[in-house]
Amino acid sequence: MSGNEEERPEQPSEVDGTAHPFSALGKMLKVLRRNAGLSQTELAEITHCSEDLISAIERGVRTPQPDFLIRADPAVRAGGVLAAAVDDVREALARARTRHPDWFRSFAKAEGEAVALHYYAVQAVPGILQTPAYAESVFRHRRPLYDEVTIEKRLADRLARRVIFEKWPAPTMSFVVEESVLRRPLGGREAFREQLCHIAEAARMRTVHFQIIPTDREEHPALKGAFTLLTPKGRREVAYIESYRHARLITDPEEVRMYTERYGVIRAQALTPYESLDAIEKMPGEL
């Protein structure tokens, strides 16, 4: 599968049946659009957004932004009904920006209690390995922008997860990170040198296996993105995937098996832990 042929990321409310807070608003939009004689493509053109976004809003997997509701109201002849929801939407979005979603708090708790953790990273250093400067850059430059209070809270929450490295007995931990992640100096070159040194320090721990998958590999079993395999104490292994604030915890044994298989192939294609550590130790001098 080439990069252009990847499937659309699954949304939690589609695959798990979870209710989106604004699903009723999406259904209302769909009825109003059809009554107005508009296709999704036509409404997308009028509201200056993508057809995929219209579809996602109507399915209840995306929250309509206030500006969209204001533009869509006259287009679907809603008579102010959609515009009336703007204040509620703004309040809901503000609450979401000031706290971690429930799904992530549950994951962070499970992560802290797990007996085995395996991370595959494709875009950034895994959160649990991030230094303060690197993590601060990740939060500060995301879009839409976080306010300062939210950045501070997210940063504190992320750094608190690092206590897992101090646990004993320690969980089994492994990381496979794409080489491109380790060539992207987020936070600036000095901050990134510090990040690389921190990764090297973690990689030297006898409870951690860290591997790099080189960019020049001609085959790849997991082009759909990052994932985590987690084994809670006394329970079966589960998989966790996350994309653009949409997350899914996978418990179906057969589906988890597929992620476990992918991870095994990825590790086989990666540099060994010793080779990876040697490469990481050289990288700060190359910046």
Side-chain angles (χ1 to χ4, degrees):
M1 180 187 298
S2 70
N4 293 329
E5 296 170 335
E6 289 185 276
E7 300 174 7
R8 174 178 60 83
E10 296 170 313
Q11 307 295 343
S13 55
E14 294 177 288
V15 294
D16 291 339
T18 54
H20 191 283
F22 292 96
S23 60
L25 194 57
K27 292 176 182 177
M28 185 187 302
L29 173 66
K30 184 175 182 178
V31 171
L32 289 168
R33 174 182 59 77
R34 287 181 170 178
N35 289 345
L38 295 174
S39 66
Q40 290 183 342
T41 301
E42 290 169 332
L43 181 57
E45 292 176 354
I46 294 171
T47 55
H48 310 296
C49 65
S50 70
E51 183 179 344
D52 285 345
L53 177 60
I54 301 294
S55 175
I57 291 172
E58 291 185 352
R59 296 196 315 274
V61 299
R62 288 287 298 275
T63 301
Q65 296 293 313
D67 289 347
F68 169 83
L69 293 173
I70 292 170
R71 291 194 299 268
D73 194 288
V76 298
R77 303 173 198 157
V81 172
L82 295 180
V86 166
D87 288 343
D88 289 339
V89 171
R90 283 195 176 118
E91 290 180 10
L93 292 174
R95 288 196 298 271
R97 285 193 295 268
T98 57
R99 64 176 179 86
H100 277 309
D102 290 340
W103 55 259
F104 189 79
R105 285 201 298 273
S106 297
F107 170 76
K109 182 176 185 297
E111 181 184 58
E113 298 172 351
V115 296
L117 291 158
H118 305 288
Y119 302 85
Y120 169 56
V122 301
Q123 293 178 318
V125 172
I128 199 167
L129 279 177
Q130 292 179 8
T131 61
Y134 184 97
E136 197 268 348
S137 178
V138 169
F139 291 130
R140 183 166 299 281
H141 298 293
R142 75 177 294 281
R143 292 295 188 276
L145 292 169
Y146 283 142
D147 58 36
E148 294 299 323
V149 172
T150 303
I151 291 173
E152 290 180 11
K153 185 180 187 309
R154 295 291 173 93
L155 181 58
D157 289 345
R158 176 154 296 182
L159 298 179
R161 292 166 58 197
R162 299 199 301 180
V163 70
I164 195 169
F165 290 101
E166 302 171 10
K167 286 183 57 180
W168 194 264
T172 299
M173 297 184 71
S174 72
F175 300 85
V176 180
V177 178
E178 293 287 339
E179 180 185 358
S180 57
V181 170
L182 304 174
R183 300 293 183 184
R184 184 178 298 124
L186 296 183
R189 298 192 181 281
E190 285 303 317
F192 197 62
R193 285 192 185 94
E194 179 187 26
Q195 176 64 75
L196 290 171
C197 291
H198 178 70
I199 291 174
E201 182 179 349
R204 295 186 194 101
M205 298 175 67
R206 61 191 177 97
T207 56
V208 174
H209 288 81
F210 186 94
Q211 294 175 259
I212 299 171
I213 184 162
T215 303
D216 64 2
R217 291 296 188 256
E218 296 180 358
E219 298 178 4
H220 204 297
L223 292 177
K224 287 186 67 174
F227 59 87
T228 300
L229 292 169
L230 182 152
T231 305
K233 187 175 182 179
R235 296 168 58 190
R236 291 181 176 178
E237 185 176 58
V238 298
Y240 171 80
I241 57 176
E242 178 184 336
S243 176
Y244 293 103
R245 297 180 65 188
H246 295 291
R248 183 183 175 209
L249 189 66
I250 301 167
T251 58
D252 176 73
E254 178 57 24
E255 195 166 359
V256 173
R257 184 197 65 77
M258 290 190 293
Y259 278 93
T260 302
E261 181 178 320
R262 287 174 191 166
Y263 193 72
V265 176
I266 291 170
R267 293 190 74 176
Q269 293 180 342
L271 300 177
T272 68
Y274 295 108
E275 293 169 336
S276 298
L277 177 58
D278 182 60
I280 296 166
E281 289 176 334
K282 294 176 180 176
M283 285 179 181
E286 298 171 359
L287 289 174

